[in-house]
Amino acid sequence: MFRRTSPEPETPPIDDKIGGKGRPTPSRKEAEAAARARAKVPRTRKEQVAAQRSARGDTSRRMREAMKTGDDRYLPSRDRGPVRRFIRDFVDSRFSFIELMVPLLVVSMVLGYSGNRSMQNLSNTILFTTLLVIVFDVVMLRLRLRRELARRFPDESPKGAVLYAAMRSLQMKFLRLPKAQVRIGEKLPESYR
């Protein structure tokens, strides 16, 4: 009798595998050696300090990387969560007069030290006008942010949100940490969950 044989299914080549771990699987000997090294308790104070320094270095490296990329897992607790991420994006997406503060303060300082009385008066006017505009900008930020937080996160407490936003907006954009993930004028997503 004839037996029917079905064609064998084609298996994809190993190189075409999507989502691989990107490194070869360690041998049993290597895995056991690594496990023993992790389980080894430091015996002397010097070894303990070295182990703590190494762990602290890894943690701080991950935190620095998260500050650049905005990865929530490794951010400090004050910057973690969808509400804080929204606040950062909200502040970073709007134009702030604080971006102009440093150049205006430099102009004001140069005019103030010119020795000319009218230039010094102009310097004072520029300085106080800059401060008033910044205060107005922070008040408008507070009003808009509270409205947006109430709309997007109705069940979240807004405690500390305005202060977090104000402190972020008072920093120059290129100095802000975590780094800005949106550009000025960019439309923000509706959901941050």
Side-chain angles (χ1 to χ4, degrees), residues 13 17 20 67 74 81 86 93 100 111 113 130 141 161 174:
K17 183 178 175 185
M67 287 294 206
Y74 302 114
F86 167 73
S93 69
L100 303 174
L111 293 175
Y113 287 118
T130 303
L141 170 71
F174 63 91

Side-chain angles (χ1 to χ4, degrees), residues 145-165:
L145 180 65
R146 282 189 167 248
R147 189 177 335 124
E148 282 295 314
L149 285 175
R151 184 176 72 83
R152 291 174 187 251
F153 304 98
D155 52 337
E156 297 280 338
S157 170
K159 184 177 179 184
V162 174
L163 181 62
Y164 182 76

Side-chain angles (χ1 to χ4, degrees), residues 122-143:
L122 181 62
S123 167
N124 289 337
T125 305
I126 290 173
L127 179 66
F128 288 121
T129 304
T130 303
L131 292 176
L132 285 175
V133 168
I134 288 171
V135 168
F136 177 75
D137 191 40
V138 169
V139 168
M140 293 305 295
L141 170 71
R142 178 183 184 268
L143 294 174

Side-chain angles (χ1 to χ4, degrees), residues 11-133:
T11 58
I14 294 174
D15 293 340
D16 291 344
K17 183 178 175 185
I18 296 174
K21 62 186 172 210
R23 59 179 170 77
T25 303
S27 67
R28 182 181 187 125
K29 183 179 178 181
E30 292 169 344
E32 287 175 350
R36 276 194 302 276
R38 282 191 304 269
K40 183 179 170 186
V41 179
R43 290 183 293 232
T44 65
R45 178 153 175 75
K46 191 174 183 180
E47 289 176 355
Q48 288 175 344
V49 170
Q52 288 173 349
R53 185 178 300 127
S54 173
R56 197 171 45 241
D58 290 342
T59 303
S60 64
R61 182 186 48 76
R62 281 196 307 262
M63 194 176 289
R64 276 193 309 274
E65 189 63 33
M67 287 294 206
K68 292 177 187 172
T69 62
D71 187 3
D72 238 15
R73 293 174 296 176
Y74 302 114
L75 286 175
S77 59
R78 70 159 196 258
D79 295 321
R80 229 177 265 154
V83 175
R84 296 300 169 118
R85 184 168 160 241
F86 167 73
I87 293 170
R88 288 193 304 270
D89 288 352
F90 183 80
V91 170
D92 295 338
S93 69
R94 61 190 289 274
F95 174 75
S96 176
F97 287 104
I98 295 164
E99 301 287 328
L100 303 174
M101 182 178 74
V102 172
L104 288 174
L105 290 179
V106 169
V107 168
S108 174
M109 188 176 71
V110 168
L111 293 175
Y113 287 118
S114 67
N116 187 346
R117 189 76 179 141
S118 62
M119 292 294 187
Q120 290 173 343
N121 289 339
L122 181 62
S123 167
N124 289 337
T125 305
I126 290 173
L127 179 66
F128 288 121
T129 304
T130 303
L131 292 176
L132 285 175
V133 168

